[in-house]
Amino acid sequence: GAGVSQTPSNKVTEKGKYVELRCDPISGHTALYWYRQSLGQGPEFLIYFQGTGAADDSGLPNDRFFAVRPEGSVSTLKIQRTERGDSAVYLCASSPTGDNEKLFFGSGTQLSVL
Amino acid sequence: EDKVVQSPLSLVVHEGDTVTLNCSYEVTNFRSLLWYKQEKKAPTFLFMLTSSGIEKKSGRLSSILDKKELSSILNITATQTGDSAIYLCAATNSNSGYALNFGKGTSLLVTP
């Protein structure tokens, strides 16, 4: 597609529920990143994929968070047993290669955990 | 721990004013500094700086890196209401160059 697409744009869920957030990167971009942005803060790195594999998942806050990219294109961020503190905007970005810091961001998914 | 600090956190100016936004960093094995503009949700790339003292320009925006002072500035001249946004600064290190370490951002409001 023309840009990075994220769905849904908004997700409201209840504490304890499971959610999946989807990211469709720019066609041909091998590198994909997930960031989380809380109100009044800058984006915080979560995980980086090069192709199908997670090259660095050191930013995932705990084992409730997991992400996959099975075919090297679309990625899904999965959050189990959601907590109110998980409420944030989840941003996905892609770049042509992993060595390029010029990232193309999607418009994010606003996750609200009630 | 790597750190990026931006100032001011927010700023209100009149159309036509010139603004300077500041970014300082403490990064082990510094690699690059980047500026992004965030309107609504998606940050968009402005500049990437790796060398000290070389100004990068794009229209009314310019930026420069000072590796001695561990800082960068972003200048916007003749501001317009469309410049209203959050301006994010990020640094990378050589160990994980792909992971941008962002500051909290400067929220700029340009009034007519």
Side-chain angles (χ1 to χ4, degrees), chain B residues 72-89:
Chain B
S72 173
I73 59 171
L74 175 69
N75 278 321
I76 309 175
T77 59
T79 51
Q80 301 171 356
T81 55
D83 295 328
S84 297
I86 295 173
Y87 290 84
L88 294 164
C89 172

Side-chain angles (χ1 to χ4, degrees), chain B:
Chain B
E1 187 180 317
D2 292 350
K3 197 163 65 169
V4 175
V5 177
Q6 293 187 245
S7 64
L9 290 181
S10 66
L11 192 54
V12 181
V13 301
H14 292 297
E15 249 186 333
D17 288 351
T18 292
V19 298
T20 298
L21 309 183
N22 301 286
C23 176
S24 63
Y25 61 89
E26 290 175 28
V27 173
T28 309
N29 299 317
F30 172 82
R31 172 166 148 162
S32 62
L33 188 134
L34 299 98
W35 286 95
Y36 280 80
K37 178 181 182 182
Q38 186 173 29
E39 296 170 278
K40 298 187 181 173
K41 287 182 190 167
T44 53
F45 173 83
L46 294 175
F47 299 110
M48 183 172 83
L49 305 157
T50 54
S51 301
S52 225
I54 299 174
E55 186 184 55
K56 292 214 170 177
K57 263 183 95 71
S58 176
R60 296 176 293 102
L61 277 66
S62 63
S63 184
I64 197 161
L65 176 66
D66 185 338
K67 283 185 172 179
K68 205 168 161 187
E69 296 295 325
L70 306 182
S71 65
S72 173
I73 59 171
L74 175 69
N75 278 321
I76 309 175
T77 59
T79 51
Q80 301 171 356
T81 55
D83 295 328
S84 297
I86 295 173
Y87 290 84
L88 294 164
C89 172
T92 66
N93 67 50
S94 299
N95 298 332
S96 57
Y98 46 80
L100 304 183
N101 188 344
F102 283 93
K104 290 187 178 184
T106 293
S107 177
L108 174 66
L109 177 62
V110 181
T111 61

Side-chain angles (χ1 to χ4, degrees), chain A residues 63-102:
Chain A
D63 62 7
R64 296 187 297 106
F65 289 74
F66 189 70
V68 295
R69 195 186 184 199
E71 294 174 4
S73 178
V74 170
S75 175
T76 305
L77 178 66
K78 308 178 182 203
I79 311 174
Q80 297 178 315
R81 304 183 304 280
T82 51
E83 299 177 358
R84 294 202 177 91
D86 298 335
S87 297
V89 175
Y90 288 81
L91 293 165
C92 177
S94 69
S95 70
T97 69
D99 284 338
N100 189 344
E101 294 101 312
K102 182 181 176 180

